Amino acid sequence: EPEVTQTPSHQVTQMGQEVILRCVPISNHLYFYWYRQILGQKVEFLVSFYNNEISEKSEIFDDQFSVERPDGSNFTLKIRSTKLEDSAMYFCASMAGGRTDTQYFGPGTRLTVL
Amino acid sequence: KQEVTQIPAALSVPEGENLVLNCSFTDSAIYNLQWFRQDPGKGLTSLLLIQSSQREQTSGRLNASLDKSSGRSTLYIAASQPGDSATYLCAVYSGNTPLVFGKGTRLSVIA
């Protein structure tokens, strides 16, 4: 069964460093998302991406964040200058069609900022 | 702003029991509601998706219902097993935010 994959599974970085989290969505899906979950808290929406551009973003997704689909398969989240509070589990998700479809989540990348 | 609440926060039951997890949301103008399972330190596994026009969905021992007008959904698990132990998350798709999540119910099924 097709699945969303994410790399790395765990990333440790120093405050102020740039990180890139990678995702391979399910092929033929058209909508892509990033969510995050700070330890012990709710899963929060960051950004959605469709047709090679951002379609929606939350207040969390400020200028420090960016997303890209550099080729036909990868979907990346970049954090330019990490802060301690960026430590969280980051989930990528993809969806085939519109708002009535199921979102499929990847296993997540645990980001630890020291 | 949509808010999703799940009750109870934690639940412990003996194996074999039937149980109900509750989810409520503040804005009834939703497109759909999705139930997920999350194992510790892992990703989210989609269990059931209910469209706003539907009343319930079933998959195996799981049955989810939706009462959109009252802003409520329930997840019913029949004949619970130790392997069902996990955190169950409810999420709604409404407005411009693809999914708004509740904090989850942590379920422990004791053998």
Side-chain angles (χ1 to χ4, degrees):
Chain A
E1 186 175 323
E3 57 183 21
V4 177
T5 59
Q6 291 185 243
T7 54
S9 57
H10 191 187
Q11 172 102 38
V12 181
T13 189
Q14 295 291 326
M15 191 169 54
Q17 295 296 305
E18 174 183 286
V19 294
I20 297 177
L21 310 183
R22 292 182 167 79
C23 168
V24 178
I26 295 172
S27 65
N28 82 352
H29 279 194
L30 301 177
Y31 296 79
F32 313 110
Y33 306 90
W34 284 102
Y35 293 83
R36 79 172 185 190
Q37 185 178 33
I38 295 171
L39 189 64
Q41 297 189 23
K42 294 183 180 184
V43 177
E44 302 171 287
F45 166 70
L46 293 178
V47 65
S48 60
F49 195 83
Y50 169 70
N51 202 25
N52 284 320
E53 60 183 28
I54 290 174
S55 48
E56 290 151 329
K57 60 182 181 178
S58 71
E59 296 167 349
I60 303 167
F61 194 87
D62 61 22
D63 292 343
Q64 291 300 311
F65 292 90
S66 62
V67 289
E68 230 181 21
R69 190 154 159 82
D71 53 44
S73 57
N74 290 287
F75 179 50
T76 63
L77 174 69
K78 182 195 288 188
I79 308 175
R80 282 185 240 292
S81 178
T82 50
K83 308 185 191 80
L84 295 176
E85 55 265 35
D86 293 327
S87 294
M89 194 78 156
Y90 288 82
F91 295 108
C92 172
S94 71
M95 185 169 74
R99 291 170 171 149
T100 56
D101 280 350
T102 298
Q103 288 190 31
Y104 293 91
F105 280 70
T109 292
R110 180 170 300 284
L111 177 65
T112 302
V113 182
L114 303 176
Chain B
K1 183 184 167 186
Q2 181 74 268
E3 296 281 344
V4 178
T5 303
Q6 291 187 246
I7 294 172
L11 182 63
S12 183
V13 300
E15 182 178 5
E17 218 170 81
N18 303 325
L19 58 101
V20 174
L21 309 180
N22 297 291
C23 170
S24 61
F25 46 96
T26 54
D27 184 353
S28 62
I30 64 170
Y31 296 105
N32 60 52
L33 182 146
Q34 206 165 340
W35 282 94
F36 294 89
R37 169 185 172 134
Q38 184 176 30
D39 292 287
K42 304 290 185 184
L44 309 179
T45 302
S46 179
L47 298 173
L48 289 163
L49 173 77
I50 311 179
Q51 304 296 348
S52 62
S53 57
Q54 296 175 320
R55 299 283 294 182
E56 65 179 290
Q57 281 287 338
T58 298
S59 176
R61 295 182 292 108
L62 306 180
N63 176 277
S65 68
L66 174 65
D67 184 343
K68 201 176 87 155
S69 60
S70 68
R72 295 182 186 195
S73 175
T74 60
L75 179 67
Y76 175 81
I77 302 177
S80 57
Q81 303 169 358
D84 295 331
S85 298
T87 296
Y88 290 81
L89 302 177
C90 165
V92 297
Y93 194 142
S94 64
N96 290 323
T97 304
L99 282 178
V100 176
F101 282 82
K103 204 167 179 184
T105 293
R106 190 171 67 252
L107 173 66
S108 297
V109 181
I110 313 299

